[in-house]
Amino acid sequence: MKQISGAERRRLVENRTHDNPLEKWGCYLSERQWGTVREDYSEYGDAWNYFPFDHAKSRAYIWGEDGIAGYCDFFQNICFAPAMWNGKDPIIKERLFGLANGQGNHGEDVKELYYYLDNTPTHYYMKYLYKYPQQEFPYKDLLAKNKTRTLKEPEYEILDTGVFDDNEYFDVFIEYAKLNAEDVYICIEVVNRATVDAPFVLLPTIWIYNRWQNGTFKERPQMQLAKEGMLNIAHERMGNYYFYFPVTKEQYFAENETNTELLLNIPNKHAFPKDAINDVIVSGKNKAKLKANKKGTKFSPVYRMMLKAGESKKIYFRLSSTQVENAFTPGFEEIFSVRKKEADEFYASLIQAPEADIANIERQAYAGLLWTKQYYHYDVEWWLKTTDGITASTARRKAGRNSSWQYLKNQDIISMPDKWEYPWYAAWDLAFHTISLALVDTTFAKHQLILLMREWYMNQDGQLPAYEWDFCSVNPPVHAFAAMEVYRIDKRMHGKADINFLKRIFQKLIINFTWWVNRKDANGNSIFEGGFLGMDNIGLFNRNEPLATGLRLEQTDGTSWMGIYALNMMEIAFEIAQHDASFEDSVTKFYEHFVIIAEALNELDLWDDEDGFFYDVLNVNNEEKIPLKVRSIVGLIPLCAVSLFENSAIDNMHDFNKRMTWFENYRIRNKKYLPNEESNDNKTLLLSLVNKERLQIIIQRFLDAEEFLSEFGIRSVSRYYKENPYSISIHGEDYTIEYDPADSTSNMFGGNSNWRGPIWMPINYMFIKSLHRYGEFYGDSLLVEFPSRSGNKINLRHLARELTIRLLNIFMRNAEGNRPVYANYNWFYQKEENRSLVQFFEFFDGDTGRGLGASHQTGWTALLLNLIADFKDTIDS
């Protein structure tokens, strides 16, 4: 048997043999549970106002918990997270603060500084940094200033408030190192970055998720001291656990229960509800009584310290299933060094960057990708038929949001887009996450894709759940694409083809593909609709709302996504057929379907010969077709449908080869569209939605700096519209689109994301992957000017590398030592302690590369890792 090198890899291999390959304990705690759909029991679905931030300290959650740098088991029964207080804030810092959707000029937004520094797939080593102001946290200022800002103005961020200007803040490092799967050491280091002494109060908090409120527990869990410095946690489902902590005179128990007296003017059932510890720290309320309380479901020992200027202090804790006499034996700190060394060893084989800055970017991208795993619980049927004990259920609510998804019963660890801004899975985001996750944990990546296809996720009609705000929304069908990407990575890394994985997911994808064909092709002509397709405000109007009677939008991107889907399904079936000939029929089916979609895209009015571009078309009563001549990535998506097939493999597939030959001859004889192209040596077949001639036309705009090509990647809308907005009048209403390179200037889809100019990593990833394939096929027989009109000609594989460099430059320090991603805030990241910190935003300014939207959306922005890996591979080859 081949020897597996490295402790972390050995743990991953061992976990693959388990029925559940997940680690029992990890960073599965959300960073925001308030303001979610799951906690909303209002009649009209007003989630943000029904459970606002101000309630979070005092109100027990029903569907999950949240915290800063949190740690819990995979059912979130027992939770740990640090809380802290600077002596000035009106509340202790237990959770990250941010604006609700209606409070920000660009929707919801976290207003904190925190960083995912390190993590491994088994979470045997994790490190997180939170920056806590020493001045009073500017809650009121952030709310007031953002409220007055317009859509045209940038958001007012915490670095604009002045609380970090003079280094008056603490760096709080939270570090985890597992001794074994059920025993973890925790180190919290507090560093005073100011030039003056400053007080700090640390409250490492352990609590139990309140499941007893729904009547599922026979016995209420309980925590109490077993002895000084040792907390016993007795839990019906978990058994006994022990939390070890340095002995302190100040320690408090409370209950993870709602303060009904404060919020509802109803007497409390328990003397010390969820916010009791907050109240005693901030105001001294009930101090003597609370100190006398010796049990509860929430516990915090308190450590008060005065840190001198520049001083740091470490305090250690331990959470274990084992009762020990001495939890902190001499030399126990060595476990952190051991686990950090194992993490370094694990990443050494993945990160082989020639520059230290690139290696640092990659390491933090992996960290963020792994930190955003989260326990997600949502049983729609139960949610609709029950109440939270505060608001009575109504018929309107029962027939409201997600009421057609009552069999959806999710309770899993899922990769989230961003654990604060988007603490819920999104179908197409998750598909992209798995591509990057496959680099570090192929088992988890495959599990996530299959999970989304399972019966308790997928609708019975075959639709995949979009996201909890509206499961019925339609996201681009990228899951077959992701499955093949994950499969290839897995095969390359382990030298073995997991055909069973492909077979398993292929069966479910067929159901979803059929749903698309039956529901989104209104005329049966292979021109697809689909709605907003994940790209929120990219259209002239809200593509997710019904159009006026007689109007139908024929979507270039909807049709292209289906072409990509059919081609990816053909790829999967083709790969399986090398091992199982019974799948040749499926290869044939999806090949022919792809050809028909390609014909529709190219010959049914979506291609504009005059402009040399694909556009959406508005169909008016099936009598008139109005092209919506907006040059956006909608018209570039066709570039992403390209695959290569070896003719030697086709020759070995007798039935498919025979059928394909007949099909090709038939279409040629009848002068019908055929997207096939053979290589000069007849060894390779190229299938693509865009033929060579149109590819060369489109790519001129693609690489035009005045249109799509930015210094930092490919823009989502042409820059041409900055000076020349596009307008059209439809049924007496005027619609306009212009180039908005940064935040959204419309409130469409909440206004917190913008597809009218910025750079989006997942779409750039798909463009670059396609260019690699085109380049592999055409080689130097197809050269393009980069940039357009420059006279500098390169092949398409070279172009793919150049675009990768531009995307990487968003995050790298430039000649001035600035990272474009931080834009005007580079003054803060020039500080020595902050120079290596990197955040992975949701999208990026089309002109400057500034990070926008969710600040910790490492999920799909981590695709940068795959691009770097591909870059290395093409250089090596």
Side-chain angles (χ1 to χ4, degrees), residues 368-380:
L369 186 66
L370 295 170
W371 267 102
T372 45
K373 291 182 184 178
Q374 180 190 307
Y375 169 78
Y376 183 86
H377 188 197
Y378 190 18
D379 179 334
V380 174

Side-chain angles (χ1 to χ4, degrees), residues 20-22 28 369 372-376 411-417 424-427 429-435 437-438 441-454 456-457 464-465 479 482-483 486 501 504-505:
N20 182 354
L22 281 169
Y28 307 143
L369 186 66
T372 45
K373 291 182 184 178
Q374 180 190 307
Y375 169 78
Y376 183 86
Q411 189 172 198
D412 296 285
I413 302 300
I414 305 177
S415 175
M416 296 294 156
W424 31 260
Y425 66 89
D429 295 59
L430 183 55
F432 286 118
H433 299 181
T434 64
I435 299 170
L437 282 166
D441 189 350
T442 54
T443 301
F444 184 67
K446 289 184 283 189
H447 170 268
Q448 292 286 282
L449 278 172
I450 288 172
L451 183 66
L452 196 60
M453 306 288 153
R454 292 308 303 264
W456 50 92
Y457 283 79
L464 294 178
H479 301 85
V486 169
F501 162 69
R504 192 174 177 192
I505 202 162

